[in-house]
């Protein structure tokens, strides 16, 4: 397995944390959050395969979500605070279910485990993306997806940025079995219930409606869970509202 590019920021050396970014992003957006929390934890964050400065994913097997999970888990050598956003949150949750002893606290920001709460509008969106990819309209597929989940203006992106996002939309498609059908069996009986670390689910108040439905489904099964909603924020709140997100992560750190 190719090593991921790992970013480090100064912090409390005795308390490591690992942060996992969203699909089509990179680990650099954790920098202001790491700075705000530097007196409490030392955050490291990898660029996921096919993102940032990490190598591309060569294709399966294993599937993309499994590949990412194995690569992220390989970075954990002692119990730590685990933070994830969007797809990264589902990887963090998968690690916590598989190895609850490795997690000191778990912060899930906008977890997109769609299998937990299937929703008609989101299913239609992802089916539309799949159809456009099947027709070879990759850039259109990326625009449609990011129009709901990206919070960015496609036309404001550079040609290189548009090309990168067009490549990465295939990774979204490659994650569908894990996120929509739970091929990773994250939701297996007794799995969520075995997480004894404090969990915080963070949402944007203006996020797609599937997000609070997922939060409800997960919270109903987690033994020690809190929920928080950031006013005025959408799905990309670690980028748009880093200070509020850092404050909420800090509350969960205190619970551990």
């Amino acid at each position: 397995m190719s090593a991921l590019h790992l970013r480090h920021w100064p912090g409390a050396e005795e308390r490591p944390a690992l942060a996992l970014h969203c699909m089509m992003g990179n680990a650099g957006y954790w920098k202001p959050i790491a700075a705000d929390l530097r007196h409490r934890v030392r955050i490291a964050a990898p660029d996921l395969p096919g993102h940032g400065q990490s190598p591309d994913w060569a294709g399966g097997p294993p599937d993309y979500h499994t590949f990412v999970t194995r690569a992220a888990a390989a970075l954990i050598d002692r119990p730590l605070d685990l933070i994830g956003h969007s797809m990264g949150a589902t990887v963090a949750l998968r690690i916590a279910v598989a190895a609850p002893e490795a997690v000191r606290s778990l912060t899930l920001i906008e977890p997109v485990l769609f299998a937990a709460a299937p929703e008609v509008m989101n299913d239609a969106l992802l089916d539309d993306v799949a159809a456009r990819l099947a027709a070879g309209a990759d850039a259109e597929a990326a625009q449609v997806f990011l129009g709901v989940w990206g919070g960015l203006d496609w036309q404001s992106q550079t040609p290189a940025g548009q090309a990168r996002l067009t490549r990465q939309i295939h990774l979204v498609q490659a994650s569908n079995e894990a996120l929509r059908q739970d091929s990773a069996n994250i939701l297996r009986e007794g799995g969520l219930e075995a997480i004894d670390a404090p969990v915080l689910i963070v949402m944007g108040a203006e996020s797609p409606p599937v997000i609070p439905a997922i939060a409800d489904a997960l919270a109903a099964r987690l033994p020690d869970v809190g929920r928080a909603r950031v006013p005025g924020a959408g799905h990309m709140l670690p980028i748009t509202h880093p200070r509020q997100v850092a404050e909420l992560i800090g509350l969960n750190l205190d619970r551990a």
Side-chain angles (χ1 to χ4, degrees):
M1 181 182 297
S2 298
L4 300 181
H5 177 75
L6 189 63
R7 305 177 193 235
H8 297 272
W9 294 280
E13 293 292 329
E14 72 281 0
R15 188 165 183 182
L18 185 68
L20 306 174
H21 68 78
C22 68
M23 189 72 78
M24 303 172 86
N26 66 68
Y29 69 63
W30 295 112
K31 181 178 180 179
I33 293 172
D36 280 354
L37 295 172
R38 66 188 181 278
H39 298 301
R40 306 169 78 172
V41 289
R42 176 180 52 81
I43 291 180
D47 288 332
L48 302 183
H51 296 77
Q53 299 178 53
S54 284
D56 287 338
W57 179 56
D63 65 275
Y64 184 73
H65 200 276
T66 298
F67 187 88
V68 172
T69 301
R70 290 176 182 174
L75 300 173
I76 301 174
D77 59 6
R78 58 171 160 151
L80 48 63
D81 298 286
L82 193 53
I83 305 159
H85 172 219
S86 192
M87 203 277 285
T90 70
V91 173
L93 183 60
R94 184 174 178 178
I95 290 171
V97 168
E101 71 281 358
V103 180
R104 183 169 177 174
S105 72
L106 179 63
T107 303
L108 304 174
I109 304 166
E110 297 267 317
V112 289
L113 187 55
F114 301 127
E119 192 264 338
V120 172
M121 290 180 61
N122 187 63
D123 284 345
L125 169 71
L126 297 178
D127 288 344
D128 185 22
V129 169
R132 292 175 191 271
L133 288 174
D138 296 6
E140 289 182 13
Q143 290 180 66
V144 167
F145 179 78
L146 291 169
V148 174
W149 291 105
L152 56 78
D153 176 14
W154 181 265
Q155 299 305 324
S156 70
Q157 302 299 302
T158 65
Q162 291 180 358
R164 172 181 57 80
L165 296 169
T166 299
R167 290 193 306 273
Q168 290 174 336
I169 191 63
H170 290 275
L171 300 179
V172 173
Q173 182 69 12
S175 303
N176 270 350
E177 282 195 19
L179 301 185
R180 299 184 70 183
Q181 297 155 21
D182 193 27
S183 60
N185 206 17
I186 299 170
L187 298 171
R188 61 185 176 270
E189 184 176 353
L192 298 178
E193 291 80 0
I195 300 174
D196 59 1
V199 180
L200 178 64
I201 303 174
V202 181
M203 300 170 283
E206 299 178 5
S207 293
V210 70
I211 290 294
I214 292 170
D216 287 344
L218 298 180
R221 295 180 52 192
L222 290 162
D224 183 0
V225 62
R227 283 187 283 183
R229 187 170 296 193
V230 178
H235 182 62
M236 299 304 292
L237 65 168
I239 295 174
T240 61
H241 294 70
R243 178 155 296 179
Q244 293 94 320
V245 169
E247 289 175 356
L248 291 169
I249 294 171
L251 292 175
N252 204 38
L253 297 176
D254 289 346
R255 295 173 61 221

